Structure formats: C-alpha cells, structure tokens
C-alpha cells in the first residue's frame, strides 16, 4: 500500500514537472521568434557584412521559379576582377558606392544576354560606406557561383528613369535582389547577400549548386 | 486524461499571461557577431520615447508625406513624442537623393560615428540615418506609396522589423498599408513607454 502511494506521489510529481516544463516552453516560445532564435542572423557570414545593405528592396523573390523567370539571365560564373566603381548621392545627402566586378560567365542557365555580354559582364555591388577595395578584391576575386542578373538599363526602365539614363546604365548589371547570388558551401548553397530569412532559403536548403542549376534550367524550359 | 486536462488548463493560462508585444517583428539586427563587417547597415532601436527627426534638403512631396505619417502614425497613435528638430539634435536624420541602382529604395543604418548602447537585439543608436533612393522614381509616384515608405522606414528606426501582415506598413516589398497596426503600436508602447 505504502509502495503504491509512493508511486502515486512520484507520478504526480512527474506530472507536475512535465506540466511545468510545458508551461515554461509556452511562456518562452513566443520570445524565441525574436530573441532566442536570431531571425536576422546572417545566412552566410563571409560577405554579408561587407556588401549587404539592410533595406527595402525594389525587387524581391520568394521562390526559385519566380527569381529565375524574372531575371534577365541566370549564369554560372566567377569574379575575375574587382575595382573601385561609381558612386551616387551627394556630399550633403551621403553616398552609395558601387564596387565593380568583372563577372566571367561560364554557363548561361536561363534567360539571355546581349552578344557583347555573353563572355563577361560588369557586375556592380553596393556599399553605404567607402569600400576597402583591396580587401574586397582579396575576398571576391576567383569566387564562383550562380548569379541571377538584372541589366541596369532594364532596371532603370522599371524604375521610371528617362531613356538616356536607361541607355547609360545598360552596360552594368546587378543581382536581381539580395537572394540573387548563390555560393556553394559544403554540400549546399548559401545566399551571401541575404539579410533576412525567406521561403527561398528553405526551398534551397540542402541542395547543391549543381542541383539548383538543374532546377533553374528546368524552370527556364 | 486528467494530466492532459491539467496541462491544457495551464497552457491556456500561460498563453493569456504571455505579453503580446515583443513576441514578433521587433529588435535590432545582429551585426555584432558578424566577422569583418565594416560596411553593414544594421537596424537599431531608438534610445528613448522622444524620437526627434530632421530632414535635410527634402523633395517636397516626400517631405510632406513623411511629416504627415510621423505625426499621424507615430506621434498621435503611440506614446512616443515625435517632432522635427535641428540636424544636430536629431535621433533620425533623413535624406533623399538619387543613390543609384542597387535595388534598395529605402534603408536605415547606424553610422560608425554614432552613439550606440546595448547589444543585439536591443542595440540603440543615435543618430540613425534614413535614406530614400529617388532612383526608383516610380516607387514614389503616389502619396500612398510615399506614406507607406515613410511609415515603413521610420518604423525601422524604432526597431520594428518586417511582417507578413498586409494591414501593417512594416510589410516588406509591397505597399499594402500606410499605417501601423495595433500590434506595432503595442510593441512601441511596451518598449519605449514602460510606465
């Protein structure tokens, strides 16, 4: 009898412990969304702090298919060179700096490029403080990956810029959005410029660059 | 069965006692743990309930929308005291210019010359710089779009993050609302007016 009561008390204690644990989880869980799990932790640290600008994007895509179908071209390539580029803004309003990379194209997976741009394109990145070009050069040159490209002439037209501006911008490219550059890392791909988690990140999670390339080609067909 | 009932009852009570604010879309961005991040434009929170702003050389239509929104959405609907001030006194310095095409029409950042305190997710910064990129001229066409952008970016200066809720101006990418939703207001009041 005594043993039975003891078991009962133990069971009650265990029940209470389980209940307390669940209650604790319930209390903590809502906060994990913003504090415990860092929802804005960089998805790929190596370049994020150098080139990503946390801001409201004119173009943003949440699926591989939408990003593929909208890009002017999706290419596999590597950065062959990097140099100081243009800057826009003013002394009063501040500047945005555009380091310019020569992106050597190895394969066009989707879309198309003008004949003059099928071998290499001028790909512009952006920084909100003067860039350390030597440091960026050391980090970026030789880096291969998949690039979802937007011709800046096309972008200027989308932005409502006059024809002259569209023409002057047409020799430059950017990635379509912060998720538009994929780098291989281990057995998966990462988005080095992305600063916010998105459905696209989960869609690509665990897929190799070759697998994503095949998916892009299938989407483009 | 009794155990399950007890647990459900406790969970229900616990759910009621969970503060609604702070649970979502608030807090600074984590730049501190990123190695070699000299250029990152991380979002910070404000330093107190008095959130003053200054707009340098504004384009008139954007300025008007900005002034309207900070007054109607932030000064009137929250416990914040939001007013215009001199550049030197501002918590938020606002600029607009053609900053070129890098796919960003608005951003907030904390220059490395600014005062900061605390750590992520409660890193405060003063002054913060808010910039509107006039390269994307078509994005500023209508008064609604301009109010959305003002509401959205000013929210970032207080630590509001993006949400999927279409009734909030903190929804990213698409201008579905030019107003804060009650949840955003609760967050601001809980954080900046804990009296």
């Amino acid at each position: 009898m005594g043993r039975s009561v003891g078991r009962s008390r133990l069971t009650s204690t265990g029940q209470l412990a389980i209940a307390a644990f669940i209650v604790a989880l319930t209390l903590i869980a809502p906060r994990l969304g913003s504090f415990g799990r860092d929802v804005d932790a960089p998805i790929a640290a190596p370049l994020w702090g150098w080139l990503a600008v946390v801001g409201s994007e004119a173009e943003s895509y949440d699926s591989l298919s939408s990003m593929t179908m909208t890009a002017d071209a999706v290419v596999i390539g590597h950065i062959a060179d990097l140099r100081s580029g243009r800057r826009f803004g003013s002394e009063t309003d501040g500047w945005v700096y555009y380091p310019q990379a020569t992106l050597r194209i190895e394969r066009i997976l989707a879309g198309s490029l003008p004949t003059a741009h099928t071998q290499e394109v001028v790909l512009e990145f952006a920084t909100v403080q003067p860039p350390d070009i030597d440091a960026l050069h050391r980090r970026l040159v030789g880096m291969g990956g998949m690039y979802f490209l937007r011709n800046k002439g096309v972008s200027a037209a989308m932005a409502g810029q006059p024809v002259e501006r569209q023409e002057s911008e047409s020799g430059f490219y950017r990635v379509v959005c912060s998720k538009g550059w994929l780098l291989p890392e281990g057995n998966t791909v990462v988005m080095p410029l992305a600063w916010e988690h998105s459905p696209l990140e989960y869609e690509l999670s665990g897929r190799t660059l070759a697998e994503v390339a095949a998916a892009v080609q299938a989407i483009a067909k | 069965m009794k155990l399950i009932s007890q647990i459900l009852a406790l969970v229900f009570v616990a759910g009621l006692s969970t503060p609604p604010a702070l649970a979502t879309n608030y807090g600074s961005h984590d730049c501190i743990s990123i190695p070699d991040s000299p250029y990152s434009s991380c979002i910070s929170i404000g330093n107190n309930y008095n959130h003053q702003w200054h707009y340098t050389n504004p384009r008139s239509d954007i300025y008007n929308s900005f002034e309207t929104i900070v007054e109607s959405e932030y000064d009137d609907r929250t416990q914040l005291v939001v007013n215009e001030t001199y550049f030197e006194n501002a918590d938020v310095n606002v600029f607009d210019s053609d900053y070129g095409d890098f796919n960003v029409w608005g951003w907030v950042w904390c220059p490395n010359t600014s005062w900061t305190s605390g750590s992520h997710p409660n890193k405060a910064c003063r002054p913060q710089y808010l910039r509107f990129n006039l390269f994307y001229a078509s994005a500023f066409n209508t008064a609604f779009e301009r109010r959305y952008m003002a509401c959205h970016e000013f929210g970032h200066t207080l630590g509001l993050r993006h949400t999927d809720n279409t009734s909030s101006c903190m929804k990213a990418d698409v201008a579905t609302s030019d107003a804060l939703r009650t949840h955003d207001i609760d967050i601001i009041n809980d954080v900046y007016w804990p009296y």
Side-chain angles (χ1 to χ4, degrees):
Chain A
M1 183 70 176
R3 191 171 176 178
S4 174
V5 169
R7 274 185 183 167
S8 176
R9 281 177 182 160
L10 278 175
T11 308
S12 297
T13 307
Q15 288 174 343
L16 277 174
I18 292 167
F21 178 68
I22 292 173
V23 169
L25 275 182
T26 309
L27 286 167
I28 292 167
R31 292 180 168 84
L32 292 180
S34 57
F35 294 115
R37 172 177 165 266
D38 186 355
V39 294
D40 289 316
I43 294 161
L47 295 170
W48 189 93
W50 291 72
L51 294 169
V53 177
V54 177
S56 300
E57 298 192 276
E59 294 183 69
S60 183
Y61 304 102
D62 278 336
S63 70
L64 188 63
S65 60
S66 63
M67 196 159 72
T68 299
M69 297 303 287
T70 317
D72 293 320
V74 185
V75 306
I76 297 282
H78 68 274
I79 293 173
D81 190 21
L82 187 119
R83 58 200 166 274
S84 296
R86 308 184 290 174
R87 66 176 183 176
F88 287 91
S90 70
E91 290 295 344
T92 308
D93 299 320
W95 301 98
V96 171
Y97 302 85
Y98 290 82
Q100 288 182 346
T102 300
L103 175 64
R104 191 139 308 149
I105 293 164
E106 294 155 19
R107 205 153 49 109
I108 298 175
L109 301 172
S112 62
L113 292 167
T115 309
H117 298 160
T118 54
Q119 301 297 310
E120 60 183 39
V121 299
V122 177
L123 176 65
E124 289 189 317
F125 297 105
T127 68
V128 294
Q129 294 189 47
D132 181 341
I133 292 297
D134 290 340
L136 281 175
H137 191 280
R138 283 195 297 275
R139 281 179 173 245
L140 294 182
V141 171
M143 194 168 273
M146 185 183 302
Y147 301 80
F148 294 74
L149 296 175
R150 170 74 62 234
N151 181 279
K152 287 200 168 184
V154 173
S155 181
M158 291 162 58
Q161 291 292 334
V163 173
E164 307 81 58
R165 184 74 179 271
Q166 297 172 32
E167 289 172 355
S168 66
E169 291 289 327
S170 63
F172 304 98
Y173 289 79
R174 61 170 169 82
V175 288
V176 291
C177 65
S178 61
K179 302 155 205 155
W181 182 11
L182 305 183
L183 291 176
E185 187 176 271
N187 289 322
T188 188
V189 293
V190 294
M191 296 180 281
L193 302 183
W195 56 274
E196 197 167 51
H197 292 281
S198 71
L200 181 57
E201 178 195 0
Y202 298 107
E203 182 183 347
L204 300 182
S205 177
R207 299 169 78 173
T208 65
L209 193 68
E211 289 169 343
V212 177
V216 166
Q217 286 180 305
I219 291 165
K221 272 182 183 169
Chain B
M1 194 63 187
K2 189 179 176 185
L3 172 64
I4 293 170
S5 303
Q6 287 172 339
I7 290 172
L8 287 175
L10 283 165
V11 165
F12 177 70
V13 171
L16 286 181
S17 64
T18 302
L22 299 182
T24 56
N25 80 299
Y26 170 77
S28 57
H29 283 80
D30 182 10
C31 288
I32 297 164
S33 63
I34 302 167
D36 304 327
S37 57
Y39 314 127
S40 53
S41 55
C42 299
I43 288 171
S44 306
I45 65 173
N47 64 325
N48 58 36
Y49 67 89
N50 192 344
H51 209 54
Q52 301 189 89
W53 57 276
H54 177 268
Y55 204 137
T56 300
N57 295 334
R59 199 176 88 172
S60 61
D61 56 350
I62 299 180
Y63 173 88
N64 291 338
S65 298
F66 187 87
E67 185 184 37
T68 300
I69 280 297
V70 294
E71 189 172 324
S72 66
E73 291 304 305
Y74 291 93
D75 194 44
D76 291 351
R77 294 186 66 201
T78 75
Q79 302 275 25
L80 295 169
V81 177
V82 182
N83 47 36
E84 191 171 9
T85 187
Y86 299 107
F87 182 88
E88 294 76 15
N89 294 340
D91 297 295
V92 181
N93 280 311
V94 189
F95 306 87
D96 63 52
S97 185
D98 179 345
Y99 292 106
D101 181 15
F102 67 115
N103 194 40
V104 173
W105 53 250
W107 72 101
V108 174
W109 67 296
C110 178
N112 54 17
T113 51
S114 289
W115 166 91
T116 61
S117 75
S119 57
H120 173 71
N122 295 303
K123 181 192 161 206
C125 173
R126 181 178 187 274
Q128 298 180 57
Y129 283 13
L130 187 168
R131 291 196 162 114
F132 295 115
N133 188 357
L134 301 185
F135 174 84
Y136 302 99
S138 60
F140 295 89
N141 271 345
T142 68
F144 174 77
E145 288 168 328
R146 293 191 291 272
R147 289 197 305 269
Y148 159 72
M149 291 183 180
C151 182
H152 185 99
E153 294 303 327
F154 201 74
H156 280 323
T157 71
L158 292 158
L160 291 183
R161 298 182 181 194
H162 290 161
T163 175
D164 290 331
N165 193 302
T166 54
S167 65
S168 170
C169 66
M170 295 315 296
K171 169 127 180 66
D173 310 327
V174 184
T176 53
S177 168
D178 62 353
L180 296 170
R181 63 178 171 137
T182 306
H183 180 78
D184 303 323
I185 293 169
D186 288 344
I187 289 174
I188 289 171
N189 289 340
D190 278 3
V191 172
Y192 293 99
W193 196 261
Y195 305 110

